[in-house]
Amino acid sequence: MGEETAPRARPRRRGRTAALICTAAVLGLVAGTCTGYLVQADRKPTRLPSPVQPLAAPGEGEVPKRLPAAQDRRVRTDGDLRELLLKKPRGARDLAWPEGGDGWMGLAAYAETFHRSSEMFESLLHDEFRRAVVGGWSVGGSYSVNIRLIQFRQEEVLVTAEANQSAQSWADEVDSESWPVPGTGDGRAYVHAPGGERGEEPTYTAEAHARRGDILVEIYVGGEKRISKKTILDLAERQMERL
């Protein structure tokens, strides 16, 4: 029998506020350089059966009706993933430095949000990273929001479960309060203690991590005032409803 393989440790993110590069207008952060937008191709098409094969005899009983596209999750998640991002609320503004100019975030750009990005790049390839999209907005001088949806080719829940657990393990190490995201099973939201250098205005951050099927959800919020539990949980719940 072969030796048992130890679980792979996913690299940590680049500090507590690095993932909040969307808050440039509020916190003075500058978005990291994206090395390209690698829109992942869809799965290889399944080979069609030979046209000379005999048709199967019709079965007995009623044939179940197909779900309409609006109710078929597979149809929605295989389409334009950007359409599933939470929409910018009325009165909010576009981010001054968005992570993905057209909404897409390539494998290299996503890996760069972690320490040891080269290791994360390999880990994502191993986990069959498919594609990622990003969106966000700023609300006056209060706070900015950054949302990412990361989709994997593997349909097993183990991949998104591992990634979700890794993100939560990192967030748990930071001085913060946390709560489960209703309706997600293992989703969790965090409000962190204020950070920043001595002599500077404190910065406030919050985040949420959850998953549904082959999609991992990451939400980051940052601003000059404390982010409430209600704010981060509401964002997480409404984003999950779109999946």
Side-chain angles (χ1 to χ4, degrees):
M1 295 178 64
E3 296 183 358
E4 183 175 343
T5 303
R8 294 174 294 105
R10 299 174 73 91
R12 297 175 181 273
R13 296 192 175 279
R14 294 180 180 274
R16 188 168 78 182
T17 57
L20 294 168
I21 56 179
C22 69
T23 61
V26 177
L27 308 178
L29 300 178
V30 179
T33 302
C34 293
T35 58
Y37 305 109
L38 309 178
V39 180
Q40 301 299 309
D42 290 335
R43 297 176 185 267
K44 293 182 179 180
T46 303
R47 183 184 296 275
L48 294 174
S50 171
V52 300
Q53 288 182 318
L55 295 176
E60 297 181 358
E62 295 183 3
V63 177
K65 295 181 179 180
R66 296 187 61 180
L67 287 173
Q71 298 178 22
D72 191 335
R73 182 179 178 277
R74 174 61 66 183
V75 171
R76 289 185 288 118
T77 58
D78 277 350
D80 190 337
L81 205 58
R82 295 172 297 182
E83 296 297 323
L84 299 184
L85 284 165
L86 196 60
K87 301 302 181 183
K88 179 179 68 175
R90 182 176 301 177
R93 296 178 298 181
D94 291 329
L95 297 173
W97 289 277
E99 286 185 295
D102 58 357
W104 293 103
M105 192 177 193
L107 172 57
Y110 180 61
E112 282 293 331
T113 65
F114 293 81
H115 282 300
R116 298 181 300 176
S117 56
S118 60
E119 292 182 25
M120 189 59 190
F121 188 93
E122 294 179 1
S123 178
L124 289 167
L125 283 177
H126 179 275
D127 290 342
E128 297 188 32
F129 172 94
R130 180 180 177 187
R131 54 185 181 166
V133 293
V134 59
W137 61 83
S138 62
V139 181
S142 300
Y143 61 89
S144 293
V145 176
N146 178 282
I147 302 176
R148 300 175 190 155
L149 304 181
I150 303 93
Q151 188 174 35
F152 296 87
R153 290 188 182 280
Q154 295 188 31
E155 297 184 9
E156 294 84 355
V157 298
L158 295 179
V159 172
T160 50
E162 178 190 345
N164 188 51
Q165 183 179 16
S166 176
Q168 292 184 18
S169 296
W170 174 85
D172 282 331
E173 295 180 7
V174 184
D175 185 11
S176 61
E177 295 181 81
S178 68
W179 309 269
V181 178
T184 62
D186 58 357
R188 203 153 189 87
Y190 302 81
V191 171
H192 302 303
E197 300 296 330
R198 180 175 298 179
E200 297 181 353
E201 290 294 325
T203 57
Y204 296 85
T205 58
E207 61 187 283
H209 301 274
R211 62 189 174 96
R212 179 150 294 156
D214 56 357
I215 296 179
L216 185 67
V217 177
E218 301 177 347
I219 302 176
Y220 301 97
V221 184
E224 296 177 332
K225 298 181 180 180
R226 189 177 189 277
I227 312 300
S228 69
K229 169 187 175 182
K230 181 179 183 303
T231 296
I232 187 63
L233 279 177
D234 179 65
L235 286 169
E237 288 185 71
R238 289 192 291 121
Q239 176 58 72
M240 296 306 293
E241 287 174 357
R242 297 185 63 84
L243 301 178

